[in-house]
Amino acid sequence: MSAKILIVAEHDGTRLNVSTAKCVSCARAVAGAEITVVVCAAAAAPLAAQAAQIAGVARVLTVENPANAHALAAVLAPQLAALAAPFNLILGPSTTFGKDLMARIAGLLGAPQVSDIMALESATRFRRPIYAGNAILTVEADGAARVVGTVRMASFEAAGGGGAAAIEKAAVSAELPTHTRFISVSAAKSDRPDLQTAAKVISGGRALGSAEGFRILYSLADKIGAAVGASRAAVDAGFAPNEMQVGQTGKIIAPELYVAIGISGAIQHLTGIKDARTIVAINKDGEAPIFEVADFGLVGDLFQIIPEIEKLV
Amino acid sequence: MKRILVGIKRVVDFNVRIRVKPDGTGVVTDGVKMSVNPFDEIALEEALRIKERGGAAEVVVATVGPADCQQQLRSALAMGADRALHVQADGIIEPLVAARALLKLIEREQPFLVILGKQAIDDDNGQTGQVLAALWNRPQATYASKLELVGEGTARVTREVDAGLETLEVDLPAVITTDLRLNEPRYVKLPDIMKAKKKPLDTLTLAALGVEQRQQLKLVKFEPPLQRQKGVRVKDAAELVEQLKKKGLL
Ligand SMILES: Cc1cc2nc3c(=O)[nH]c(=O)nc-3n(C[C@H](O)[C@H](O)[C@H](O)COP(=O)(O)OP(=O)(O)OC[C@H]3O[C@@H](n4cnc5c(N)ncnc54)[C@H](O)[C@@H]3O)c2cc1C
Ligand SMILES: Nc1ncnc2c1ncn2[C@@H]1O[C@H](COP(=O)(O)O)[C@@H](O)[C@H]1O
């Protein structure tokens, strides 16, 4: 019997998030899996069309409802739980959207959830990091009828395009609560690449000293087409907004190039960058733990080094 | 009585360097420092601040786990919680079991607010709050960095999401899970540790609550993560740029 896998699409109302194609890659690790993507939205058609193009997707289900205009877990979970019956595995991305939502679905189903799947060995056997990535655990769902999972974004490449899946409207009858209401979201608009998908990321730590100090990073980032990240210390101090935080409690990223500037390299920070292809560390303390994971280390004062680099690139 | 319930989990202290046992059956916990999960300290701090502002009359902390967990409940009492509930349970407690037990406590205690951590730093599951909110059929506001009680029956919560900061309004009662920037937990003073010894700590069992101790995920093996190769030191900006250009990264 081939595994039936349902993937919950993430989107902003007009564009599908790349996390959806990464979940598809994860699901494709199960040989012969039948992959369905479900799009919950106020207007699902344009999003469904994008999902149908992802290679490996057999079917796209749409659930349209004005209440789905904003991704509220309490509103989405009952609709998705109502669709879950035919599926063995229900996956969503391990982004704040997916982490918030999938566990609520698991709760409604009484199903076990596997968080942060980094490898899928079968439809019931998974590998995932625990203790901030300091141990890797293999878990097996023993005879559970249904398993819910969130997919660790840094572990999978997005599935390609070229698919042509059938699109169907799903009929869902679930009572939707009104006890949770969306008020607003403040997203700083930026022309820089998205931190989670950028090929190059430059991150700054406490050493930058101020929001002003971060300007030298923005300037270098713009010159080389990089996204900018930050350590928790830098975010806590108000030098950078929270969505820039990299690490255990921020974003887990896997760029080709990661440059850590004035960041000491606490384990909670390193968790977020373990999968980066090349790590560069610039720090005035030659003993800083960041150098233990850096492919290239440069000891010195960042305020002198960064402008030099900018001139050379 | 206006009551807040806070979930407390005993975990390996965040400063401990985790080592996987050579036989792959777990991580080394013998002789290792154990603490209250840092996100739960933040949850408790928030509850205490609400009480201090007159927004609640009582803060109750609860844990589901083996006898050792009482140490962390005592720490929570020392921080300022009024009462503690210990649901005795051995073995692996999955989020679904923890949430079912917490729901039973909610039915007894009737809190208007339940605050949990966004994740436990041992299993990194990040599920219990959402599972609890689902079972309870109440609102959830996860990853809170700001919590305001508005009037009698609602809360306004700012959440740290990938896009930035999202604000939700939820009817109470509701489940909130904490992010790190919600507050900075207070330090415990010595006299408070003494006082905490006299505060009530009730012990219950899963069985008495009518919750089955059920494990749906088998822990097959634990492995250390792949180590990165140690890299090279470069002498200056010019050498760094040259190396990165050679690798096609610049
Ligand atoms: C539960 C939990 C979760 C956490 N989650 C995260 C997370 O997601 N992300 C995260 O980043 N942290 C996280 N942390 C915090 C983490 O433990 C560290 O406190 C934090 O990463 C330190 O940030 P930093 O490296 O910028 O600051 P510091 O540790 O203060 O390091 C600053 C570095 O800058 C160097 N420096 C100073 N001046 C200069 C100069 N002029 N030129 C060059 N170098 C200079 C110093 O040598 C030092 O190494 C978490 C902590 C906990 C407890
Ligand atoms: N056994 C438990 N007892 C009490 N609270 C718990 C327990 N397990 C989890 N929690 C709460 O749920 C949060 C998230 O845990 P987890 O889902 O395991 O990552 C923790 O920060 C605690 O507040």
Side-chain angles (χ1 to χ4, degrees):
Chain A
M1 193 198 75
S2 71
K4 291 191 164 60
I5 302 180
L6 180 67
I7 291 170
V8 180
E10 176 173 7
H11 60 82
D12 63 5
T14 49
R15 290 205 59 79
L16 217 54
N17 191 297
V18 66
S19 62
T20 307
K22 291 191 170 198
C23 289
V24 173
S25 281
C26 174
R28 287 177 85 181
V30 180
E34 189 187 306
I35 300 173
T36 303
V37 173
V38 57
V39 177
C40 298
L47 297 158
Q50 294 166 43
Q53 286 169 13
I54 301 173
V57 176
R59 195 163 57 122
V60 177
L61 295 177
T62 60
V63 183
E64 281 193 332
N65 192 318
N68 294 346
H70 298 288
L72 296 172
V75 171
L76 296 178
Q79 302 174 67
L80 291 160
L83 288 175
F87 298 95
N88 311 101
L89 179 59
I90 302 152
L91 295 177
S94 197
T95 56
T96 53
F97 160 80
K99 289 192 282 195
D100 183 45
L101 172 60
M102 300 312 289
R104 187 155 181 133
I105 299 173
L108 293 177
L109 297 174
Q113 174 171 309
V114 180
S115 298
D116 303 316
I117 297 168
M118 55 187 286
L120 212 157
E121 295 181 348
S122 75
T124 53
R125 194 175 161 113
F126 313 87
R127 282 160 60 78
R128 60 176 300 258
I130 54 173
Y131 290 97
N134 287 296
I136 307 298
L137 174 62
T138 302
V139 294
E140 182 143 27
D142 255 349
R146 218 164 284 120
V147 179
V148 175
T150 63
V151 175
R152 184 173 180 272
M153 294 291 97
S155 298
F156 298 92
E157 303 276 342
I167 299 174
E168 292 166 36
K169 262 194 184 4
V172 173
S173 63
E175 210 178 310
L176 303 186
T178 54
H179 54 44
T180 306
R181 295 170 293 274
F182 173 86
I183 303 292
S184 64
V185 66
S186 73
K189 277 271 159 274
S190 136
D191 297 333
R192 283 188 201 95
D194 175 57
L195 180 57
Q196 261 159 321
T197 51
K200 299 171 199 169
V201 174
I202 296 182
S203 280
R206 195 197 306 273
L208 272 299
S210 62
E212 283 290 297
F214 259 76
R215 289 222 184 137
I216 60 169
L217 297 196
Y218 296 129
S219 166
L220 175 59
D222 290 343
K223 193 133 179 222
I224 66 168
V228 179
S231 72
R232 177 185 164 200
V235 175
D236 283 355
F239 306 166
N242 70 285
E243 62 267 25
M244 274 170 50
Q245 184 176 316
V246 172
Q248 181 187 8
T249 47
K251 286 175 179 149
I252 312 274
I253 57 175
E256 292 293 317
L257 174 65
Y258 185 78
V259 188
I261 299 172
I263 291 177
S264 59
I267 50 170
Q268 295 88 2
H269 187 81
L270 301 184
T271 303
I273 59 169
K274 278 204 165 94
D275 294 290
R277 198 68 60 83
T278 298
I279 297 177
V280 173
I282 299 171
N283 196 303
K284 72 174 183 194
D285 172 10
E287 303 292 312
I290 188 77
F291 287 118
E292 283 164 37
V293 300
D295 300 283
F296 298 105
L298 176 51
V299 179
D301 182 357
L302 72 94
F303 293 103
Q304 192 188 323
I305 293 168
I306 303 307
E308 279 171 24
I309 295 177
E310 199 181 325
K311 265 183 235 141
L312 293 163
V313 294
Chain B
M1 177 153 35
K2 286 198 80 181
R3 188 172 285 142
I4 304 177
L5 182 71
V6 174
I8 298 287
K9 192 176 182 200
R10 169 186 167 92
V11 297
V12 174
D13 187 82
F14 80 95
N15 276 315
V16 171
R17 252 182 199 266
I18 298 296
R19 281 181 301 126
V20 175
K21 289 184 191 164
D23 65 1
T25 57
V27 303
V28 177
T29 50
D30 286 347
V32 157
K33 183 176 180 211
M34 303 296 287
S35 297
V36 173
N37 184 39
F39 293 101
D40 301 351
E41 281 188 346
I42 294 170
L44 175 55
E45 176 66 35
E46 197 64 19
L48 295 174
R49 289 185 191 185
I50 292 170
K51 184 186 159 191
E52 285 158 3
R53 285 197 298 265
E58 192 184 40
V59 175
V60 179
V61 289
T63 196
V64 185
D68 296 344
C69 298
Q70 292 198 1
Q71 292 166 14
Q72 279 62 44
L73 289 179
R74 288 289 170 205
S75 307
L77 292 170
M79 237 180 101
D82 298 294
R83 245 170 354 106
L85 299 170
H86 175 210
V87 180
Q88 169 81 41
D90 291 313
I92 304 289
I93 296 136
E94 292 184 349
L96 186 60
V97 172
R100 284 180 175 156
L102 290 171
L103 182 63
K104 293 291 182 184
L105 300 181
I106 287 172
E107 286 163 4
R108 292 177 164 218
E109 301 285 344
Q110 300 287 319
F112 74 100
L113 199 58
V114 176
I115 316 182
L116 305 185
K118 79 163 178 178
Q119 78 196 70
I121 62 162
D122 50 3
D123 56 42
D124 283 334
N125 276 327
Q127 300 171 18
T128 308
Q130 299 90 306
V131 173
L132 175 61
L135 299 179
W136 194 17
N137 199 13
R138 293 304 307 167
Q140 70 188 46
T142 50
Y143 325 134
S145 63
K146 191 168 171 207
L147 170 58
E148 290 168 285
L149 300 181
V150 191
E152 269 303 293
T154 57
R156 227 170 225 250
V157 185
T158 304
R159 309 176 55 227
E160 295 205 3
V161 295
D162 290 339
L165 295 171
E166 181 188 79
T167 304
L168 295 183
E169 189 177 82
V170 295
D171 292 339
L172 299 176
V175 178
I176 311 292
T177 77
T178 60
D179 218 319
L180 290 170
R181 275 175 283 273
L182 183 59
N183 61 49
E184 212 169 299
R186 65 197 62 188
Y187 283 104
V188 173
K189 295 183 225 75
L190 201 57
D192 297 329
I193 298 175
M194 303 310 292
K195 260 193 273 170
K197 292 190 176 143
K198 296 201 195 81
K199 289 186 179 175
L201 190 163
D202 291 336
T203 304
L204 308 126
T205 62
L206 276 182
L209 291 176
V211 176
E212 189 194 345
Q213 162 59 306
R214 164 154 170 258
Q215 194 183 337
Q216 298 192 88
L217 293 175
K218 191 168 77 187
L219 310 186
V220 181
K221 64 171 185 248
F222 293 73
E223 293 163 280
L226 288 177
Q227 294 300 324
R228 289 185 77 97
Q229 295 274 327
K230 211 176 153 76
V232 296
R233 291 282 167 104
V234 293
K235 65 175 190 303
D236 55 18
E239 190 188 345
L240 178 62
V241 169
E242 185 193 310
Q243 293 275 12
L244 294 178
K245 279 186 175 161
K246 225 191 284 171
K247 292 194 86 176
L249 291 166
L250 282 179

